[in-house]
Amino acid sequence: MTAITNPWTTRSRTADDPVDVRYGPLVARRDDEGMRRFRRYGLGQFIHFGLYSIPGNEWNGVSASEGAAAPEWIRAWRGPSAPEDWAGTYDRLNEVFDPTGLDAGEWARQAKRMGARYVIFTTKHHDGFALWPSAHSDYTVAQSPCGRDLVGEVVDAYTAEGIDVFLYFSVLDWHHPGYTTSVPADDAGRAGWQDFLDYTRAQLLELLERYPAARGLWFDGTWDASWVASYEFTHRLEQELRARRPGLIIGSRFRNDEHGARHFDSNGRLLGDYEQGWERKLPADHAMLDGHDWDGVMTIGPNAWGYMRHTGDQYQKTADDLIDLLMRCRSMGGNLVVNFGPDGDGRMTPYEGEIAEQLGAWVAANAEAVYDGGHVDLDPTGMGWLTGDDERVFLTVVNRPVTGIARLRVPADASRVPVSARLLASGQGLELRRTDIGFDLDAATYCDIAIPSDFVSTRAFVIELTLGDAVDPAAERIDAYM
Ligand code: FHN
């Protein structure tokens, strides 16, 4: 029996000795229009916005960084730095929640300029506060001075910009009295949990009913033993959600099998339409994905999804970091989703706003490499990331070689090889030649692209290689000149 474990996504499977699984996948790999769009999203935006955006990781000038996991977790602030009756204070933030600066149209236009093709918006985070006037809860925008349907505003504004919307929904709920982390052990606990399951189902159906334009549900907070033990319920509910909205996209974080295996069932089969475990981490290589669709969600700071008033000395990713991560994801066929945490008034922070513009300028100049290119079967290169299709290969150069030569290793038996090269952003042609570097018994040939010494780049740049039929390398070697 071979146990294969992926430490990133709790994936574990037994290859030779299948386990009996009744609550496994409900869908096989999809190739409908929705999933084809998903594969070409390239770049997404995550928005974490809610009551936690008001404190922004501090209260009365005291930082929660010593007592809470992340700004959006501030309700769980513990330890000596936590204010007295903090949870009670937090729970009443709905009484002052009124983000008058929130202009979903402005967010959507900024996301469009950034090049995002989908947005994931927090309809309800762990605190249980719903950003739509849910009929199934008394803890929503309707019970706040805001009174607006923020989910509806976001869905409409992003849809109008041609950006697909995925609704983030936390199952874990600190507000619902029936919620429990462990499996309920007595009748009262079981009745409360059943109430909670009914409420969860009702809210999800309500979201689908209210927002027909939403393309997917992005689940979170599904790790507690209580939810894991509710596999019959979640299996039924996934069927119901898919029946209500044909084409709906649901990632692998929603449910588990009867043995508690999450993301992948006990036989290693994906539990959803795409792999949804890549959070603040990325696959080591393309092979470990086994051909599954996936996205990677990423914070700009170290681990802050919600707004942080003071980021202090915490490293904030730069546009260069994000370009690197974006193309790394694309080289493995995935999407990068960059998180934004607007402030309590609903405004994007200046730093994140600037990042969006800088990233957007790069994406616009190199759009074909970002959106059109998927994984290509060439050796990875330390210079950067390879994307492409049958006709082209894009090399995103992050580490510019001091030799002035970008060298790619191409299998000697490849039928299609690079025949011309140019800088994607400007169209400037580049010299390309096949080079015999003299390695004995080498199963590869080498394709050298000259990067002009007077070409100045302050960011990563993309070399586009056009593929053509391979010709006899010996004949080509005679002509090689540079
Ligand atoms: O606990 C949350 C966290 O606050 C944030 O929402 C991220 C986003 O993917 N998800 C959870 C942790 O996995």
Side-chain angles (χ1 to χ4, degrees), residues 291-326:
H292 294 306
D293 294 306
W294 67 282
D295 66 10
V297 295
M298 196 62 69
T299 47
I300 288 179
N303 181 19
W305 299 89
Y307 170 62
M308 231 170 152
R309 271 175 206 282
H310 297 106
T311 51
D313 59 3
Q314 291 192 350
Y315 183 75
Q316 302 296 304
K317 291 184 189 64
T318 62
D320 291 312
D321 289 328
L322 295 170
I323 290 165
D324 186 17
L325 293 172
L326 169 63

PDB file of all heavy atoms in Angstrom, residues 291-326:
ATOM      1  N   GLY A 291      -3.164  17.475 -12.563  1.00  0.00           N
ATOM      2  CA  GLY A 291      -4.081  17.980 -13.593  1.00  0.00           C
ATOM      3  C   GLY A 291      -5.322  18.678 -13.067  1.00  0.00           C
ATOM      4  O   GLY A 291      -6.200  19.058 -13.836  1.00  0.00           O
ATOM      5  N   HIS A 292      -5.415  18.880 -11.755  1.00  0.00           N
ATOM      6  CA  HIS A 292      -6.605  19.545 -11.219  1.00  0.00           C
ATOM      7  C   HIS A 292      -6.548  21.059 -11.444  1.00  0.00           C
ATOM      8  O   HIS A 292      -5.480  21.650 -11.446  1.00  0.00           O
ATOM      9  CB  HIS A 292      -6.715  19.307  -9.710  1.00  0.00           C
ATOM     10  CG  HIS A 292      -6.961  17.880  -9.361  1.00  0.00           C
ATOM     11  ND1 HIS A 292      -8.001  17.161  -9.897  1.00  0.00           N
ATOM     12  CD2 HIS A 292      -6.309  17.024  -8.543  1.00  0.00           C
ATOM     13  CE1 HIS A 292      -7.967  15.927  -9.426  1.00  0.00           C
ATOM     14  NE2 HIS A 292      -6.950  15.808  -8.610  1.00  0.00           N
ATOM     15  N   ASP A 293      -7.726  21.645 -11.599  1.00  0.00           N
ATOM     16  CA  ASP A 293      -7.807  23.099 -11.609  1.00  0.00           C
ATOM     17  C   ASP A 293      -7.560  23.603 -10.194  1.00  0.00           C
ATOM     18  O   ASP A 293      -7.866  22.909  -9.214  1.00  0.00           O
ATOM     19  CB  ASP A 293      -9.204  23.539 -12.092  1.00  0.00           C
ATOM     20  CG  ASP A 293      -9.418  23.155 -13.554  1.00  0.00           C
ATOM     21  OD1 ASP A 293      -8.582  23.537 -14.385  1.00  0.00           O
ATOM     22  OD2 ASP A 293     -10.403  22.451 -13.850  1.00  0.00           O
ATOM     23  N   TRP A 294      -7.081  24.828 -10.085  1.00  0.00           N
ATOM     24  CA  TRP A 294      -6.791  25.349  -8.739  1.00  0.00           C
ATOM     25  C   TRP A 294      -6.633  26.865  -8.775  1.00  0.00           C
ATOM     26  O   TRP A 294      -6.420  27.452  -9.837  1.00  0.00           O
ATOM     27  CB  TRP A 294      -5.509  24.715  -8.179  1.00  0.00           C
ATOM     28  CG  TRP A 294      -4.243  25.091  -8.906  1.00  0.00           C
ATOM     29  CD1 TRP A 294      -3.813  24.582 -10.103  1.00  0.00           C
ATOM     30  CD2 TRP A 294      -3.255  26.046  -8.505  1.00  0.00           C
ATOM     31  NE1 TRP A 294      -2.615  25.160 -10.454  1.00  0.00           N
ATOM     32  CE2 TRP A 294      -2.245  26.063  -9.495  1.00  0.00           C
ATOM     33  CE3 TRP A 294      -3.115  26.897  -7.388  1.00  0.00           C
ATOM     34  CZ2 TRP A 294      -1.121  26.889  -9.416  1.00  0.00           C
ATOM     35  CZ3 TRP A 294      -1.999  27.712  -7.307  1.00  0.00           C
ATOM     36  CH2 TRP A 294      -1.016  27.707  -8.316  1.00  0.00           C
ATOM     37  N   ASP A 295      -6.773  27.469  -7.612  1.00  0.00           N
ATOM     38  CA  ASP A 295      -6.327  28.854  -7.460  1.00  0.00           C
ATOM     39  C   ASP A 295      -5.578  28.995  -6.144  1.00  0.00           C
ATOM     40  O   ASP A 295      -5.689  28.157  -5.253  1.00  0.00           O
ATOM     41  CB  ASP A 295      -7.463  29.876  -7.617  1.00  0.00           C
ATOM     42  CG  ASP A 295      -8.540  29.829  -6.542  1.00  0.00           C
ATOM     43  OD1 ASP A 295      -8.362  29.134  -5.525  1.00  0.00           O
ATOM     44  OD2 ASP A 295      -9.575  30.500  -6.716  1.00  0.00           O
ATOM     45  N   GLY A 296      -4.775  30.034  -6.089  1.00  0.00           N
ATOM     46  CA  GLY A 296      -3.998  30.304  -4.878  1.00  0.00           C
ATOM     47  C   GLY A 296      -4.394  31.673  -4.353  1.00  0.00           C
ATOM     48  O   GLY A 296      -4.321  32.659  -5.098  1.00  0.00           O
ATOM     49  N   VAL A 297      -4.871  31.725  -3.100  1.00  0.00           N
ATOM     50  CA  VAL A 297      -5.294  33.013  -2.545  1.00  0.00           C
ATOM     51  C   VAL A 297      -4.162  33.556  -1.676  1.00  0.00           C
ATOM     52  O   VAL A 297      -3.551  32.834  -0.906  1.00  0.00           O
ATOM     53  CB  VAL A 297      -6.632  32.903  -1.777  1.00  0.00           C
ATOM     54  CG1 VAL A 297      -7.750  32.528  -2.736  1.00  0.00           C
ATOM     55  CG2 VAL A 297      -6.567  31.886  -0.646  1.00  0.00           C
ATOM     56  N   MET A 298      -3.904  34.851  -1.818  1.00  0.00           N
ATOM     57  CA  MET A 298      -2.686  35.411  -1.252  1.00  0.00           C
ATOM     58  C   MET A 298      -2.946  36.765  -0.595  1.00  0.00           C
ATOM     59  O   MET A 298      -3.630  37.612  -1.161  1.00  0.00           O
ATOM     60  CB  MET A 298      -1.700  35.590  -2.408  1.00  0.00           C
ATOM     61  CG  MET A 298      -0.292  35.794  -2.026  1.00  0.00           C
ATOM     62  SD  MET A 298       0.432  34.402  -1.111  1.00  0.00           S
ATOM     63  CE  MET A 298       0.520  33.107  -2.347  1.00  0.00           C
ATOM     64  N   THR A 299      -2.395  36.917   0.584  1.00  0.00           N
ATOM     65  CA  THR A 299      -2.461  38.216   1.257  1.00  0.00           C
ATOM     66  C   THR A 299      -1.332  39.111   0.753  1.00  0.00           C
ATOM     67  O   THR A 299      -0.312  38.624   0.279  1.00  0.00           O
ATOM     68  CB  THR A 299      -2.285  38.039   2.777  1.00  0.00           C
ATOM     69  OG1 THR A 299      -1.161  37.181   2.999  1.00  0.00           O
ATOM     70  CG2 THR A 299      -3.520  37.433   3.409  1.00  0.00           C
ATOM     71  N   ILE A 300      -1.515  40.411   0.932  1.00  0.00           N
ATOM     72  CA  ILE A 300      -0.434  41.351   0.594  1.00  0.00           C
ATOM     73  C   ILE A 300       0.533  41.446   1.781  1.00  0.00           C
ATOM     74  O   ILE A 300       1.746  41.434   1.616  1.00  0.00           O
ATOM     75  CB  ILE A 300      -1.020  42.714   0.163  1.00  0.00           C
ATOM     76  CG1 ILE A 300      -1.665  42.547  -1.226  1.00  0.00           C
ATOM     77  CG2 ILE A 300       0.057  43.800   0.153  1.00  0.00           C
ATOM     78  CD1 ILE A 300      -2.314  43.777  -1.806  1.00  0.00           C
ATOM     79  N   GLY A 301      -0.002  41.501   3.004  1.00  0.00           N
ATOM     80  CA  GLY A 301       0.852  41.411   4.194  1.00  0.00           C
ATOM     81  C   GLY A 301       1.090  39.940   4.517  1.00  0.00           C
ATOM     82  O   GLY A 301       0.693  39.055   3.759  1.00  0.00           O
ATOM     83  N   PRO A 302       1.712  39.639   5.650  1.00  0.00           N
ATOM     84  CA  PRO A 302       2.000  38.232   5.971  1.00  0.00           C
ATOM     85  C   PRO A 302       0.747  37.374   6.192  1.00  0.00           C
ATOM     86  O   PRO A 302       0.588  36.352   5.566  1.00  0.00           O
ATOM     87  CB  PRO A 302       2.838  38.316   7.248  1.00  0.00           C
ATOM     88  CG  PRO A 302       3.360  39.713   7.278  1.00  0.00           C
ATOM     89  CD  PRO A 302       2.350  40.565   6.591  1.00  0.00           C
ATOM     90  N   ASN A 303      -0.128  37.773   7.102  1.00  0.00           N
ATOM     91  CA  ASN A 303      -1.361  37.016   7.307  1.00  0.00           C
ATOM     92  C   ASN A 303      -2.441  37.970   7.779  1.00  0.00           C
ATOM     93  O   ASN A 303      -2.878  37.920   8.921  1.00  0.00           O
ATOM     94  CB  ASN A 303      -1.181  35.906   8.345  1.00  0.00           C
ATOM     95  CG  ASN A 303      -2.474  35.107   8.547  1.00  0.00           C
ATOM     96  OD1 ASN A 303      -3.376  35.135   7.710  1.00  0.00           O
ATOM     97  ND2 ASN A 303      -2.575  34.411   9.671  1.00  0.00           N
ATOM     98  N   ALA A 304      -2.822  38.864   6.911  1.00  0.00           N
ATOM     99  CA  ALA A 304      -3.883  39.815   7.242  1.00  0.00           C
ATOM    100  C   ALA A 304      -4.817  39.852   6.055  1.00  0.00           C
ATOM    101  O   ALA A 304      -4.440  40.300   4.980  1.00  0.00           O
ATOM    102  CB  ALA A 304      -3.281  41.191   7.499  1.00  0.00           C
ATOM    103  N   TRP A 305      -6.030  39.360   6.272  1.00  0.00           N
ATOM    104  CA  TRP A 305      -7.015  39.387   5.184  1.00  0.00           C
ATOM    105  C   TRP A 305      -7.892  40.613   5.333  1.00  0.00           C
ATOM    106  O   TRP A 305      -8.215  41.285   4.370  1.00  0.00           O
ATOM    107  CB  TRP A 305      -7.848  38.104   5.196  1.00  0.00           C
ATOM    108  CG  TRP A 305      -7.016  36.869   4.982  1.00  0.00           C
ATOM    109  CD1 TRP A 305      -6.390  36.122   5.945  1.00  0.00           C
ATOM    110  CD2 TRP A 305      -6.679  36.253   3.729  1.00  0.00           C
ATOM    111  NE1 TRP A 305      -5.700  35.090   5.360  1.00  0.00           N
ATOM    112  CE2 TRP A 305      -5.867  35.130   4.006  1.00  0.00           C
ATOM    113  CE3 TRP A 305      -7.009  36.527   2.398  1.00  0.00           C
ATOM    114  CZ2 TRP A 305      -5.366  34.301   2.999  1.00  0.00           C
ATOM    115  CZ3 TRP A 305      -6.515  35.690   1.394  1.00  0.00           C
ATOM    116  CH2 TRP A 305      -5.707  34.595   1.703  1.00  0.00           C
ATOM    117  N   GLY A 306      -8.259  40.917   6.567  1.00  0.00           N
ATOM    118  CA  GLY A 306      -9.048  42.119   6.812  1.00  0.00           C
ATOM    119  C   GLY A 306      -8.126  43.327   6.973  1.00  0.00           C
ATOM    120  O   GLY A 306      -6.901  43.195   7.074  1.00  0.00           O
ATOM    121  N   TYR A 307      -8.748  44.490   7.021  1.00  0.00           N
ATOM    122  CA  TYR A 307      -8.016  45.760   7.119  1.00  0.00           C
ATOM    123  C   TYR A 307      -7.159  45.825   8.390  1.00  0.00           C
ATOM    124  O   TYR A 307      -7.578  45.388   9.468  1.00  0.00           O
ATOM    125  CB  TYR A 307      -9.037  46.895   7.117  1.00  0.00           C
ATOM    126  CG  TYR A 307      -8.489  48.250   7.454  1.00  0.00           C
ATOM    127  CD1 TYR A 307      -7.511  48.840   6.645  1.00  0.00           C
ATOM    128  CD2 TYR A 307      -8.949  48.948   8.574  1.00  0.00           C
ATOM    129  CE1 TYR A 307      -7.013  50.098   6.955  1.00  0.00           C
ATOM    130  CE2 TYR A 307      -8.461  50.206   8.876  1.00  0.00           C
ATOM    131  CZ  TYR A 307      -7.489  50.768   8.069  1.00  0.00           C
ATOM    132  OH  TYR A 307      -6.994  52.003   8.382  1.00  0.00           O
ATOM    133  N   MET A 308      -5.975  46.389   8.240  1.00  0.00           N
ATOM    134  CA  MET A 308      -5.082  46.614   9.365  1.00  0.00           C
ATOM    135  C   MET A 308      -4.713  48.101   9.386  1.00  0.00           C
ATOM    136  O   MET A 308      -4.146  48.592   8.403  1.00  0.00           O
ATOM    137  CB  MET A 308      -3.801  45.797   9.142  1.00  0.00           C
ATOM    138  CG  MET A 308      -3.426  44.963  10.301  1.00  0.00           C
ATOM    139  SD  MET A 308      -2.109  43.848   9.853  1.00  0.00           S
ATOM    140  CE  MET A 308      -1.385  43.687  11.453  1.00  0.00           C
ATOM    141  N   ARG A 309      -5.066  48.779  10.472  1.00  0.00           N
ATOM    142  CA  ARG A 309      -4.748  50.215  10.538  1.00  0.00           C
ATOM    143  C   ARG A 309      -3.255  50.469  10.440  1.00  0.00           C
ATOM    144  O   ARG A 309      -2.814  51.390   9.769  1.00  0.00           O
ATOM    145  CB  ARG A 309      -5.194  50.774  11.889  1.00  0.00           C
ATOM    146  CG  ARG A 309      -6.576  51.269  11.895  1.00  0.00           C
ATOM    147  CD  ARG A 309      -6.987  51.698  13.306  1.00  0.00           C
ATOM    148  NE  ARG A 309      -8.416  51.561  13.360  1.00  0.00           N
ATOM    149  CZ  ARG A 309      -9.260  52.436  12.830  1.00  0.00           C
ATOM    150  NH1 ARG A 309      -8.811  53.529  12.268  1.00  0.00           N
ATOM    151  NH2 ARG A 309     -10.559  52.221  12.874  1.00  0.00           N
ATOM    152  N   HIS A 310      -2.508  49.693  11.189  1.00  0.00           N
ATOM    153  CA  HIS A 310      -1.054  49.892  11.206  1.00  0.00           C
ATOM    154  C   HIS A 310      -0.367  48.579  10.859  1.00  0.00           C
ATOM    155  O   HIS A 310      -0.460  47.618  11.622  1.00  0.00           O
ATOM    156  CB  HIS A 310      -0.589  50.384  12.582  1.00  0.00           C
ATOM    157  CG  HIS A 310      -1.164  51.711  12.934  1.00  0.00           C
ATOM    158  ND1 HIS A 310      -2.172  51.862  13.860  1.00  0.00           N
ATOM    159  CD2 HIS A 310      -0.897  52.957  12.451  1.00  0.00           C
ATOM    160  CE1 HIS A 310      -2.499  53.154  13.933  1.00  0.00           C
ATOM    161  NE2 HIS A 310      -1.734  53.837  13.092  1.00  0.00           N
ATOM    162  N   THR A 311       0.311  48.580   9.759  1.00  0.00           N
ATOM    163  CA  THR A 311       0.986  47.337   9.369  1.00  0.00           C
ATOM    164  C   THR A 311       2.380  47.266   9.995  1.00  0.00           C
ATOM    165  O   THR A 311       3.049  46.238   9.916  1.00  0.00           O
ATOM    166  CB  THR A 311       1.088  47.225   7.836  1.00  0.00           C
ATOM    167  OG1 THR A 311       1.653  48.437   7.335  1.00  0.00           O
ATOM    168  CG2 THR A 311      -0.268  46.998   7.221  1.00  0.00           C
ATOM    169  N   GLY A 312       2.800  48.379  10.601  1.00  0.00           N
ATOM    170  CA  GLY A 312       4.077  48.391  11.316  1.00  0.00           C
ATOM    171  C   GLY A 312       5.215  47.936  10.411  1.00  0.00           C
ATOM    172  O   GLY A 312       5.326  48.375   9.267  1.00  0.00           O
ATOM    173  N   ASP A 313       6.044  47.037  10.960  1.00  0.00           N
ATOM    174  CA  ASP A 313       7.185  46.596  10.150  1.00  0.00           C
ATOM    175  C   ASP A 313       6.877  45.293   9.412  1.00  0.00           C
ATOM    176  O   ASP A 313       7.773  44.623   8.935  1.00  0.00           O
ATOM    177  CB  ASP A 313       8.442  46.450  11.020  1.00  0.00           C
ATOM    178  CG  ASP A 313       8.225  45.456  12.154  1.00  0.00           C
ATOM    179  OD1 ASP A 313       7.123  44.857  12.224  1.00  0.00           O
ATOM    180  OD2 ASP A 313       9.148  45.275  12.964  1.00  0.00           O
ATOM    181  N   GLN A 314       5.593  44.928   9.345  1.00  0.00           N
ATOM    182  CA  GLN A 314       5.249  43.701   8.616  1.00  0.00           C
ATOM    183  C   GLN A 314       5.487  43.898   7.118  1.00  0.00           C
ATOM    184  O   GLN A 314       5.042  44.882   6.536  1.00  0.00           O
ATOM    185  CB  GLN A 314       3.776  43.350   8.827  1.00  0.00           C
ATOM    186  CG  GLN A 314       3.477  42.916  10.247  1.00  0.00           C
ATOM    187  CD  GLN A 314       2.084  42.299  10.357  1.00  0.00           C
ATOM    188  OE1 GLN A 314       1.290  42.362   9.418  1.00  0.00           O
ATOM    189  NE2 GLN A 314       1.789  41.729  11.500  1.00  0.00           N
ATOM    190  N   TYR A 315       6.141  42.959   6.522  1.00  0.00           N
ATOM    191  CA  TYR A 315       6.441  43.067   5.094  1.00  0.00           C
ATOM    192  C   TYR A 315       5.145  43.092   4.281  1.00  0.00           C
ATOM    193  O   TYR A 315       4.244  42.278   4.508  1.00  0.00           O
ATOM    194  CB  TYR A 315       7.308  41.876   4.646  1.00  0.00           C
ATOM    195  CG  TYR A 315       7.708  41.978   3.199  1.00  0.00           C
ATOM    196  CD1 TYR A 315       8.703  42.872   2.811  1.00  0.00           C
ATOM    197  CD2 TYR A 315       7.082  41.214   2.219  1.00  0.00           C
ATOM    198  CE1 TYR A 315       9.073  42.996   1.479  1.00  0.00           C
ATOM    199  CE2 TYR A 315       7.442  41.319   0.884  1.00  0.00           C
ATOM    200  CZ  TYR A 315       8.437  42.216   0.525  1.00  0.00           C
ATOM    201  OH  TYR A 315       8.790  42.338  -0.804  1.00  0.00           O
ATOM    202  N   GLN A 316       5.077  44.026   3.374  1.00  0.00           N
ATOM    203  CA  GLN A 316       3.935  44.088   2.462  1.00  0.00           C
ATOM    204  C   GLN A 316       4.439  43.706   1.070  1.00  0.00           C
ATOM    205  O   GLN A 316       5.411  44.291   0.570  1.00  0.00           O
ATOM    206  CB  GLN A 316       3.357  45.508   2.420  1.00  0.00           C
ATOM    207  CG  GLN A 316       2.914  46.045   3.786  1.00  0.00           C
ATOM    208  CD  GLN A 316       1.761  45.243   4.390  1.00  0.00           C
ATOM    209  OE1 GLN A 316       0.714  45.083   3.787  1.00  0.00           O
ATOM    210  NE2 GLN A 316       1.975  44.724   5.600  1.00  0.00           N
ATOM    211  N   LYS A 317       3.774  42.748   0.461  1.00  0.00           N
ATOM    212  CA  LYS A 317       4.232  42.326  -0.866  1.00  0.00           C
ATOM    213  C   LYS A 317       4.160  43.508  -1.831  1.00  0.00           C
ATOM    214  O   LYS A 317       3.267  44.353  -1.743  1.00  0.00           O
ATOM    215  CB  LYS A 317       3.370  41.174  -1.386  1.00  0.00           C
ATOM    216  CG  LYS A 317       3.596  39.896  -0.595  1.00  0.00           C
ATOM    217  CD  LYS A 317       2.810  38.725  -1.164  1.00  0.00           C
ATOM    218  CE  LYS A 317       2.881  37.528  -0.239  1.00  0.00           C
ATOM    219  NZ  LYS A 317       2.263  37.748   1.081  1.00  0.00           N
ATOM    220  N   THR A 318       5.106  43.529  -2.735  1.00  0.00           N
ATOM    221  CA  THR A 318       5.155  44.592  -3.733  1.00  0.00           C
ATOM    222  C   THR A 318       4.489  44.103  -5.019  1.00  0.00           C
ATOM    223  O   THR A 318       4.194  42.905  -5.171  1.00  0.00           O
ATOM    224  CB  THR A 318       6.617  44.931  -4.054  1.00  0.00           C
ATOM    225  OG1 THR A 318       7.221  43.748  -4.620  1.00  0.00           O
ATOM    226  CG2 THR A 318       7.382  45.350  -2.797  1.00  0.00           C
ATOM    227  N   ALA A 319       4.328  45.020  -5.944  1.00  0.00           N
ATOM    228  CA  ALA A 319       3.785  44.614  -7.254  1.00  0.00           C
ATOM    229  C   ALA A 319       4.715  43.592  -7.898  1.00  0.00           C
ATOM    230  O   ALA A 319       4.259  42.646  -8.548  1.00  0.00           O
ATOM    231  CB  ALA A 319       3.609  45.838  -8.141  1.00  0.00           C
ATOM    232  N   ASP A 320       6.016  43.755  -7.706  1.00  0.00           N
ATOM    233  CA  ASP A 320       6.968  42.776  -8.285  1.00  0.00           C
ATOM    234  C   ASP A 320       6.754  41.391  -7.689  1.00  0.00           C
ATOM    235  O   ASP A 320       6.797  40.382  -8.392  1.00  0.00           O
ATOM    236  CB  ASP A 320       8.409  43.230  -8.052  1.00  0.00           C
ATOM    237  CG  ASP A 320       8.739  44.462  -8.871  1.00  0.00           C
ATOM    238  OD1 ASP A 320       8.440  44.472 -10.070  1.00  0.00           O
ATOM    239  OD2 ASP A 320       9.263  45.429  -8.294  1.00  0.00           O
ATOM    240  N   ASP A 321       6.544  41.345  -6.370  1.00  0.00           N
ATOM    241  CA  ASP A 321       6.261  40.049  -5.734  1.00  0.00           C
ATOM    242  C   ASP A 321       5.033  39.408  -6.371  1.00  0.00           C
ATOM    243  O   ASP A 321       5.000  38.208  -6.652  1.00  0.00           O
ATOM    244  CB  ASP A 321       5.956  40.228  -4.239  1.00  0.00           C
ATOM    245  CG  ASP A 321       7.187  40.613  -3.416  1.00  0.00           C
ATOM    246  OD1 ASP A 321       8.292  40.183  -3.775  1.00  0.00           O
ATOM    247  OD2 ASP A 321       7.013  41.330  -2.412  1.00  0.00           O
ATOM    248  N   LEU A 322       4.011  40.224  -6.563  1.00  0.00           N
ATOM    249  CA  LEU A 322       2.739  39.672  -7.048  1.00  0.00           C
ATOM    250  C   LEU A 322       2.834  39.245  -8.515  1.00  0.00           C
ATOM    251  O   LEU A 322       2.226  38.254  -8.920  1.00  0.00           O
ATOM    252  CB  LEU A 322       1.602  40.678  -6.823  1.00  0.00           C
ATOM    253  CG  LEU A 322       1.337  40.943  -5.326  1.00  0.00           C
ATOM    254  CD1 LEU A 322       0.393  42.114  -5.131  1.00  0.00           C
ATOM    255  CD2 LEU A 322       0.774  39.701  -4.636  1.00  0.00           C
ATOM    256  N   ILE A 323       3.612  39.978  -9.294  1.00  0.00           N
ATOM    257  CA  ILE A 323       3.827  39.575 -10.697  1.00  0.00           C
ATOM    258  C   ILE A 323       4.516  38.210 -10.722  1.00  0.00           C
ATOM    259  O   ILE A 323       4.138  37.300 -11.466  1.00  0.00           O
ATOM    260  CB  ILE A 323       4.675  40.644 -11.429  1.00  0.00           C
ATOM    261  CG1 ILE A 323       3.856  41.924 -11.611  1.00  0.00           C
ATOM    262  CG2 ILE A 323       5.191  40.117 -12.763  1.00  0.00           C
ATOM    263  CD1 ILE A 323       4.685  43.150 -11.995  1.00  0.00           C
ATOM    264  N   ASP A 324       5.506  38.079  -9.872  1.00  0.00           N
ATOM    265  CA  ASP A 324       6.238  36.809  -9.767  1.00  0.00           C
ATOM    266  C   ASP A 324       5.272  35.679  -9.377  1.00  0.00           C
ATOM    267  O   ASP A 324       5.232  34.608 -10.008  1.00  0.00           O
ATOM    268  CB  ASP A 324       7.337  37.001  -8.705  1.00  0.00           C
ATOM    269  CG  ASP A 324       8.275  35.817  -8.593  1.00  0.00           C
ATOM    270  OD1 ASP A 324       8.305  34.988  -9.510  1.00  0.00           O
ATOM    271  OD2 ASP A 324       8.990  35.730  -7.575  1.00  0.00           O
ATOM    272  N   LEU A 325       4.464  35.926  -8.355  1.00  0.00           N
ATOM    273  CA  LEU A 325       3.525  34.893  -7.889  1.00  0.00           C
ATOM    274  C   LEU A 325       2.471  34.584  -8.948  1.00  0.00           C
ATOM    275  O   LEU A 325       2.085  33.429  -9.153  1.00  0.00           O
ATOM    276  CB  LEU A 325       2.843  35.348  -6.596  1.00  0.00           C
ATOM    277  CG  LEU A 325       3.769  35.460  -5.374  1.00  0.00           C
ATOM    278  CD1 LEU A 325       3.034  36.117  -4.203  1.00  0.00           C
ATOM    279  CD2 LEU A 325       4.274  34.076  -4.966  1.00  0.00           C
ATOM    280  N   LEU A 326       2.003  35.643  -9.600  1.00  0.00           N
ATOM    281  CA  LEU A 326       0.978  35.454 -10.639  1.00  0.00           C
ATOM    282  C   LEU A 326       1.492  34.520 -11.731  1.00  0.00           C
ATOM    283  O   LEU A 326       0.821  33.542 -12.108  1.00  0.00           O
ATOM    284  CB  LEU A 326       0.603  36.825 -11.230  1.00  0.00           C
ATOM    285  CG  LEU A 326      -0.260  36.814 -12.488  1.00  0.00           C
ATOM    286  CD1 LEU A 326      -1.621  36.199 -12.204  1.00  0.00           C
ATOM    287  CD2 LEU A 326      -0.437  38.238 -13.040  1.00  0.00           C
TER     288      LEU A 326
END
